[in-house]
Each structure stands twice: as structure tokens, then as C-alpha cells.
Amino acid sequence: MEFYFPTEFGEQLAFCSAAFTALAGFIMMFAPGQAFRLLGLQAQEGRPEGFGEGRSMGGFYLGFGLSAIMLAQDWIYMALGASFAMAAFARVISILSDKGSNLVNYLLLVVQIALAALPLLYVFGFIQT
């Protein structure tokens, strides 16, 4: 079995979104403390459940990203894009209702919108080349 890297530009962008998702998941899974610090979170002392949740979330991102890379199907890319679009929508709700209007939230919102847009633009045919 050979490693498949897409030849079309649009699919390469979707692939990059999946690769970034897998990389973020890998970091969250194997270095949850650093991931929490980067996101401005912290686990409570003496309670390993926080790290367990961070690792679990990282495993989900890693599995989803790797699945999109290995399967390279439009429906998988659509699911990846739709998931990040809903995550971006949830972040907007948080910014508006949780008084979360800060730089980190806005930067993460831009990242989530980009990670949603890349696969969705490819799947819906806006990027052809």
C-alpha cells in the first residue's frame, strides 16, 4: 500500500486540513498538559480526569484526521468540514454568551473556520484546480 497524496489543489487543501487535525490530536493525546496550557486550560490537582478527557479528545481528533487522510473520500472530507463548522459556530456562541471575547478565542475561531472551509470548498466544487 502506497501513501496517497492528492494531485488536485482543492483536495490537497482538504488533505492539509485533515493532516493538521491529526497533528493537533497527536499533540493533545500525548502532551495534554502542553495542549491545555496553549488553550489556557488547566486540570485540577489530584484529579486525572481532566487529562483523561484531553487525551480522549486528542484521540478523537487524531482518529478523524487519519481516517480522512487514509480514506480520502468526499464524504469524509465533508464530515470533517461540517464538524469544524459546528465547532466554530459553538465558539461564536461562547464568545457572545460566555463573555469569552479575548484574543485566544478569536484566533481559534479563525483556525476553526479555515479548517472547516478547506475541505468544504473542495467537496462542494469551489476549488477545482
Side-chain angles (χ1 to χ4, degrees):
M1 181 177 199
E2 293 181 27
F3 177 74
Y4 170 74
F5 186 76
T7 55
E8 292 181 31
F9 180 66
E11 190 175 2
Q12 287 174 351
L13 293 177
F15 181 93
C16 287
S17 178
F20 183 84
T21 302
L23 177 65
F26 183 83
I27 292 168
M28 290 168 66
M29 188 171 168
F30 292 106
Q34 285 75 14
F36 282 178
R37 268 191 288 287
L38 181 67
L39 296 171
L41 303 171
Q42 93 180 39
Q44 192 174 17
E45 283 294 320
R47 303 282 313 247
E49 296 87 1
F51 286 112
E53 187 62 32
R55 288 184 195 277
S56 176
M57 187 170 46
F60 181 81
Y61 277 29
L62 179 60
F64 201 177
L66 288 178
S67 296
I69 288 170
M70 290 189 296
L71 297 174
Q73 298 293 316
D74 287 351
W75 284 102
I76 301 296
Y77 287 138
M78 186 182 302
L80 182 68
S83 297
F84 274 114
M86 289 308 297
F89 179 65
R91 188 165 302 275
V92 168
I93 291 172
S94 176
I95 288 171
L96 296 174
S97 64
D98 301 334
K99 297 179 183 152
S101 183
N102 59 34
L103 182 63
V104 172
N105 261 342
Y106 286 116
L107 288 174
L108 290 172
L109 176 63
V110 169
V111 169
Q112 287 175 329
I113 289 171
L115 290 173
L118 294 177
L120 290 177
L121 289 173
Y122 165 69
V123 168
F124 290 120
F126 290 105
I127 302 174
Q128 295 285 334
T129 319

